[in-house]
Amino acid sequence: MGQQPITFLRQVVALCTYPNLLDSPSFPEDSKKRARRILQGCGGNSLGSYSASQGINCIREDVAAYIERRDGGVPADPENIYLTTGASDGIATILKILVSGGGRSRTGVMIPIPQYPLYSAAISELDAIQVNYYLDEENCWALNVNELRRSLYEAKAYCNPKVLCIINPGNPTGQVQNRKCIEEVIHFAWEEKLFLLADEVYQDNVYSENCQFHSFKKILYEMGPDYWNNVELASFHSTSKGYMGECGYRGGYMEVINLHPEIKGQLVKILSVRLCPPVSGQAAMDIVVNPPVPGEESYAQFIKEKESVLNNLAMKAKLTEDLFNQMPGIHCNPLQGAMYAFPRIFIPAKAIEMAKAHQMAPDMFYCMKLLEETGICVVPGSGFGQREGTYHFRMTILPPVEKLKILLEKVKNFHIKFLEEYS
Amino acid sequence: MGQQPITFLRQVVALCTYPNLLDSPSFPEDSKKRARRILQGCGGNSLGSYSASQGINCIREDVAAYIERRDGGVPADPENIYLTTGASDGIATILKILVSGGGRSRTGVMIPIPQYPLYSAAISELDAIQVNYYLDEENCWALNVNELRRSLYEAKAYCNPKVLCIINPGNPTGQVQNRKCIEEVIHFAWEEKLFLLADEVYQDNVYSENCQFHSFKKILYEMGPDYWNNVELASFHSTSKGYMGECGYRGGYMEVINLHPEIKGQLVKILSVRLCPPVSGQAAMDIVVNPPVPGEESYAQFIKEKESVLNNLAMKAKLTEDLFNQMPGIHCNPLQGAMYAFPRIFIPAKAIEMAKAHQMAPDMFYCMKLLEETGICVVPGSGFGQREGTYHFRMTILPPVEKLKILLEKVKNFHIKFLEEYS
């Protein structure tokens, strides 16, 4: 998509990969300092050795220090940090442990609708029960605790709901939860003894000026010891999103709070079977949590690159929202964060009939037509879940701005033609 | 353990990580050529992009070409190659698919005893049935088809055995299967319609002069179309073993033969949820299958490094076998391949009683004593499985030869003292 990697991150990983480069004058001193620190944490000073299954110690320390800075001093313990193979590995692993040993009735896992399909896939693989709660599209995809309660109490009739998954900022919906909403969710989890699973991989991707990312952990701490000592929480981060976009490295971490020691034992066992997360991904994660600071040689370039990516994404988020909302029969909530638009599309009755005749979901029919006529590939809302009778698609805002404009123009022309054809 | 990485592999991965280095005169041309080829296969020419879930196309092509060369021209199709997050990820994934949907009776998975505990852990996670077949210790840990048959027919009484796992060269037992044995196993799998799972990660680690690695796939092909068109086979390789020892990169591949299209569909789905294997691990795998060739600039150094590692391992394998067999009450089969000794140890009745009093397996008791008295950590045979009433431990042969000698001397002194103490 044209987004360039952060130079400093790649320099450090290259130095770790081929330590002969530590003598090269073409690498800045601060990148060498980071590389030496990482290599000292590696068995035999090599990225090629297995690390501890939980991840390299000094990187877990850097993650904990990052979380403390991010959360204004809320304590973070490296012992609670687990490096993972991307966030999805952490999420799937913790779900596996929470779902097993459920007793007579099957474990329910509450997930937002729309959701990122990793959740439905993992739940189905584990033979658990997917318990849907609906985000409020009329209210900018807000999470409403009354809806959580409805969802939970209905589910209790047929399963044992134990886990509440939150995606903040939302994927595919892009909303950023406010502090009050997070407090309500935490209170609800505390009241109902639910394990909170906070997918916070888009924590650096917040664009709306009146929005701010609050970590679940920070709010949990600030709600006082009754919550802080009792609510079980796992939160996730990754090298794949933010301003770094290093998906291929499969770097990530999870932080767990109040995990029962027996569960922790199971977690360590299950992680050991897979040996360790990729060590180069661990190194990449280290740079995300331990980037250049003011006064260091690489700081200026790092900040320039980081802000360029984030400002660009913010601009594209606004552009996408505006252009969608100019199209007849399309409504798009503000893209407060993450990397996607999830506009609601009006599909005429005739098109719905036609889709049924083709044994397709109506939005799948729409997306296939869009693909055939324009070459643009977007994902139908039915892949993420949506309220019965509503239709959406998900589109990333990652293409370069000039391409994105052309692309949105094409979607518009297609959409108008589609409406005409099936009206 | 002092084993140095292969320079060429690290050079290529560093070039891919930080492509600015492609202009540097300190990297040889052949490493740059490899790096350019890999980057061309990456989205946006970057290791940071997600790859296809099956792995980067040109790397799968290189894997297929490698397999064809290895197997003397037996055809290999890149479409049948899946890059994985180390071999263990591939093994766990294929087991997951084979075990699911078993119908009324639970799926049985046949594994060698002693085994590498990834198998027992994966089988237990999947709630499948572990079906043990015993390797013949008296006969250098050979695999005997009569024992396979006994194991299978006994298991049919309580489960539905569908998968036969082979580890060749053996882990922890180090035997290298001969051609006749492999033919018999394939015939047996064909006859009994078992899915063959060949763990061949130690294919480069063969030390005994009268042994040779034969891939299951090659022999399957040579047995003719009746077998070649019918026996389902998955085989595994990795960057972690051999002469490269790049465990931290989590690189690996699996090749599948005669996989049912429906199963293949499931496989692709399950892999997609985890997005892709780490791309730097894929790059490392590429160099394992596409190393420097005669005439290329880096060939001489590559061969020198490779042979140095392998010759060293061969020497240590012989040394370890010899020294163990000089110890009273210890018998060690020839270490034909892999990286471990798995000697049988005599444990006196008094020590067995003492272990029971401590609620420990006798070999665990032995290994704990060894650890306490010498600081040497070996793994008790009970972690791998062994015939009732026999005791073993597993030790790697990876330490530098001088350390290995000291270590074996310490084990010897400990063992003699242990025998005296408990006789």
Side-chain angles (χ1 to χ4, degrees):
Chain A
M1 293 291 179
Q3 184 181 315
Q4 292 307 305
I6 299 291
T7 304
F8 186 77
L9 186 150
R10 292 299 186 91
Q11 286 174 331
V12 175
V13 179
L15 287 163
C16 291
T17 304
Y18 191 56
N20 287 18
L21 293 170
L22 287 165
D23 300 328
S24 159
S26 43
F27 286 77
E29 269 315 308
D30 45 2
S31 69
K32 292 181 183 173
K33 193 177 129 197
R34 295 290 191 297
R36 283 197 195 94
R37 174 170 158 77
I38 294 169
L39 288 174
Q40 273 162 19
C42 291
N45 300 322
S46 169
L47 285 195
S49 304
Y50 289 123
S51 75
S53 299
Q54 190 171 352
I56 293 169
N57 284 350
C58 70
I59 299 183
R60 291 190 292 109
E61 285 163 16
D62 288 348
V63 169
Y66 159 81
I67 293 173
E68 288 193 358
R69 283 197 310 277
R70 181 196 70 188
D71 291 344
V74 176
D77 183 347
E79 283 308 303
N80 291 336
I81 309 294
Y82 294 78
L83 300 180
T84 57
T85 307
S88 45
D89 165 56
I91 294 168
T93 303
I94 203 92
L95 279 176
K96 186 189 277 181
I97 290 168
L98 295 175
V99 161
S100 64
R104 280 170 313 166
S105 124
R106 278 159 81 197
T107 302
V109 179
M110 300 179 69
I111 61 170
I113 297 296
Q115 55 113 19
Y116 176 59
L118 162 66
Y119 291 95
S120 49
I123 291 166
S124 148
E125 259 185 61
L126 294 167
D127 205 23
I129 302 281
Q130 175 178 328
V131 176
N132 296 340
Y133 66 87
Y134 289 86
L135 301 175
D136 184 1
E137 183 166 15
E138 316 307 317
N139 199 4
C140 199
W141 298 114
L143 197 169
N144 183 311
V145 172
N146 290 328
E147 167 61 9
L148 283 184
R149 196 165 282 120
R150 174 207 64 77
S151 160
L152 177 72
Y153 280 84
E154 284 185 24
K156 280 185 172 178
Y158 56 89
C159 69
N160 176 18
K162 292 204 295 192
V163 187
L164 170 55
C165 301
I166 310 283
I167 313 176
N168 178 48
N171 177 1
T173 40
Q175 82 286 10
V176 177
Q177 281 182 265
N178 62 37
R179 168 184 287 268
K180 180 165 162 288
C181 172
I182 295 176
E183 283 173 1
E184 287 171 358
V185 171
I186 291 174
H187 178 76
F188 176 77
W190 172 82
E191 208 170 47
E192 302 289 352
K193 297 193 177 3
L194 294 169
F195 191 105
L196 265 177
L197 204 150
D199 179 342
E200 297 175 327
V201 298
Y202 294 102
Q203 58 189 263
D204 286 317
N205 298 98
V206 175
Y207 313 120
S208 293
E209 287 189 0
N210 51 346
C211 288
Q212 197 193 328
F213 171 74
H214 303 281
S215 79
F216 266 73
K217 186 192 168 202
K218 176 170 187 257
I219 309 287
L220 179 63
Y221 182 81
E222 291 171 354
M223 285 171 75
D226 235 28
Y227 297 94
W228 176 246
N229 296 326
N230 288 298
V231 175
E232 294 169 294
L233 169 69
S235 64
F236 304 88
H237 196 14
S238 150
T239 58
S240 303
K241 317 298 176 188
Y243 53 89
M244 45 286 179
E246 296 283 12
C247 327
Y249 278 95
R250 313 309 299 121
Y253 74 75
M254 67 179 167
E255 183 186 23
V256 296
I257 308 286
N258 292 322
L259 202 64
H260 190 283
E262 211 171 285
I263 301 280
K264 213 162 181 166
Q266 287 297 322
L267 178 59
V268 169
K269 231 188 226 178
I270 228 166
L271 292 175
S272 310
V273 176
R274 296 304 188 87
L275 301 158
C276 70
V279 179
S280 45
Q282 297 185 46
M285 192 76 238
D286 190 60
I287 300 315
V288 174
V289 296
N290 187 19
V293 291
E296 284 187 311
E297 190 177 346
S298 301
Y299 180 71
Q301 187 184 359
F302 169 74
I303 281 296
K304 197 177 142 219
E305 292 176 352
K306 172 179 172 175
E307 291 189 344
S308 156
V309 172
L310 290 177
N311 292 339
N312 210 254
L313 284 170
M315 184 181 62
K316 292 190 284 189
K318 190 79 186 74
L319 175 81
T320 304
E321 176 196 339
D322 289 349
L323 289 182
F324 271 133
N325 284 328
Q326 287 167 20
M327 303 181 199
I330 292 193
H331 177 261
C332 184
N333 272 326
L335 277 63
Q336 299 173 335
M339 295 175 171
Y340 315 98
F342 195 67
R344 179 161 171 184
I345 47 176
F346 171 72
I347 298 187
K350 250 171 83 181
I352 294 176
E353 272 168 42
M354 191 66 90
K356 276 187 189 143
H358 286 79
Q359 292 181 299
M360 269 182 183
D363 50 6
M364 174 59 117
F365 178 75
Y366 180 95
C367 293
M368 288 304 289
K369 286 277 170 204
L370 176 66
L371 179 63
E372 285 164 14
E373 292 188 20
T374 66
I376 296 169
C377 179
V378 296
V379 189
S382 43
F384 304 90
Q386 54 200 351
R387 278 205 186 271
E388 179 93 30
T390 70
Y391 305 109
H392 304 77
F393 62 76
R394 187 185 87 163
M395 195 192 84
T396 77
I397 57 166
L398 292 171
V401 63
E402 287 314 314
K403 276 199 191 166
L404 188 62
K405 279 183 192 163
I406 296 168
L407 190 151
L408 286 165
E409 185 67 22
K410 283 188 182 172
V411 172
K412 180 182 163 189
N413 294 339
F414 163 82
H415 185 75
I416 290 169
K417 213 181 114 209
F418 185 89
L419 288 189
E420 277 168 10
E421 194 173 335
Y422 293 99
S423 286
Chain B
M1 293 291 179
Q3 185 182 312
Q4 292 308 305
I6 299 291
T7 304
F8 186 76
L9 186 149
R10 292 299 187 93
Q11 284 174 332
V12 176
V13 179
L15 288 163
C16 291
T17 304
Y18 191 54
N20 288 19
L21 293 170
L22 286 165
D23 300 327
S24 158
S26 42
F27 285 77
E29 269 316 308
D30 46 2
S31 69
K32 292 180 183 174
K33 193 177 128 197
R34 296 290 192 296
R36 283 197 195 94
R37 174 169 158 78
I38 293 169
L39 287 174
Q40 273 161 21
C42 292
N45 299 323
S46 170
L47 284 196
S49 303
Y50 289 124
S51 75
S53 299
Q54 191 172 352
I56 293 169
N57 284 350
C58 69
I59 299 182
R60 291 190 292 109
E61 286 162 16
D62 288 347
V63 169
Y66 159 80
I67 293 172
E68 288 194 358
R69 283 196 310 277
R70 181 196 69 188
D71 290 344
V74 176
D77 183 347
E79 284 307 304
N80 290 337
I81 309 293
Y82 295 77
L83 300 180
T84 57
T85 308
S88 45
D89 166 56
I91 294 168
T93 303
I94 203 91
L95 279 177
K96 186 189 278 180
I97 289 168
L98 295 174
V99 161
S100 64
R104 279 170 314 164
S105 123
R106 278 159 80 196
T107 303
V109 179
M110 300 178 70
I111 61 171
I113 297 295
Q115 53 116 18
Y116 177 59
L118 163 67
Y119 291 94
S120 49
I123 291 167
S124 148
E125 260 185 61
L126 294 167
D127 206 23
I129 302 279
Q130 174 178 329
V131 177
N132 296 339
Y133 65 88
Y134 289 86
L135 300 175
D136 184 2
E137 183 166 16
E138 316 307 317
N139 199 4
C140 200
W141 297 114
L143 198 168
N144 182 310
V145 172
N146 290 330
E147 167 61 9
L148 283 183
R149 196 164 283 120
R150 175 209 62 78
S151 160
L152 177 73
Y153 279 85
E154 285 184 12
K156 280 186 171 176
Y158 57 88
C159 69
N160 176 19
K162 292 204 297 192
V163 187
L164 170 55
C165 302
I166 311 284
I167 313 177
N168 178 46
N171 177 1
T173 41
Q175 82 285 13
V176 177
Q177 281 182 264
N178 62 37
R179 168 185 288 267
K180 179 164 164 288
C181 173
I182 295 175
E183 283 173 0
E184 288 172 356
V185 171
I186 291 174
H187 178 76
F188 175 76
W190 171 83
E191 207 171 47
E192 302 289 352
K193 297 192 176 5
L194 295 169
F195 191 105
L196 265 178
L197 204 151
D199 179 342
E200 297 174 328
V201 299
Y202 294 100
Q203 57 190 263
D204 287 317
N205 298 99
V206 175
Y207 314 120
S208 292
E209 286 189 2
N210 51 347
C211 289
Q212 197 192 331
F213 171 75
H214 303 280
S215 79
F216 267 72
K217 186 190 168 203
K218 177 171 188 257
I219 309 288
L220 179 63
Y221 183 82
E222 291 170 356
M223 285 171 74
D226 235 27
Y227 297 94
W228 175 246
N229 297 326
N230 288 298
V231 175
E232 294 169 293
L233 169 69
S235 65
F236 303 88
H237 196 14
S238 151
T239 58
S240 303
K241 317 299 177 190
Y243 53 89
M244 45 287 179
E246 296 284 12
C247 327
Y249 279 94
R250 312 309 299 120
Y253 74 75
M254 66 179 168
E255 183 186 25
V256 296
I257 308 287
N258 292 323
L259 202 64
H260 190 284
E262 210 171 285
I263 303 278
K264 213 162 182 168
Q266 287 298 322
L267 178 59
V268 169
K269 231 189 226 177
I270 227 165
L271 292 176
S272 310
V273 175
R274 295 303 187 87
L275 301 157
C276 70
V279 179
S280 45
Q282 297 185 46
M285 192 75 238
D286 189 60
I287 299 315
V288 174
V289 296
N290 187 20
V293 292
E296 284 187 311
E297 190 177 348
S298 302
Y299 180 72
Q301 186 183 359
F302 168 75
I303 281 296
K304 196 176 144 220
E305 291 176 352
K306 173 179 171 174
E307 290 188 346
S308 156
V309 172
L310 290 177
N311 292 340
N312 209 254
L313 283 170
M315 183 180 63
K316 292 189 284 189
K318 191 78 185 77
L319 175 81
T320 305
E321 176 196 338
D322 289 349
L323 289 182
F324 271 133
N325 285 328
Q326 287 168 20
M327 304 181 199
I330 293 194
H331 176 261
C332 185
N333 272 325
L335 278 62
Q336 299 173 334
M339 295 174 171
Y340 316 98
F342 195 69
R344 179 161 171 185
I345 46 175
F346 171 73
I347 299 187
K350 250 170 85 179
I352 294 175
E353 271 169 44
M354 190 66 90
K356 276 188 188 143
H358 285 80
Q359 293 182 300
M360 269 182 184
D363 50 6
M364 175 59 116
F365 177 76
Y366 181 95
C367 293
M368 287 305 290
K369 286 275 171 204
L370 176 66
L371 179 63
E372 284 164 13
E373 293 188 19
T374 66
I376 295 169
C377 180
V378 297
V379 189
S382 42
F384 305 89
Q386 54 201 351
R387 280 207 185 268
E388 179 93 30
T390 69
Y391 304 109
H392 303 78
F393 62 76
R394 186 186 87 164
M395 194 192 84
T396 77
I397 57 166
L398 292 171
V401 63
E402 287 312 315
K403 275 197 192 167
L404 188 63
K405 279 183 191 164
I406 295 169
L407 190 152
L408 286 165
E409 185 66 23
K410 283 189 182 173
V411 172
K412 180 182 165 189
N413 294 338
F414 163 83
H415 185 75
I416 290 169
K417 213 181 116 210
F418 184 90
L419 289 189
E420 278 168 9
E421 195 173 334
Y422 293 98
S423 287

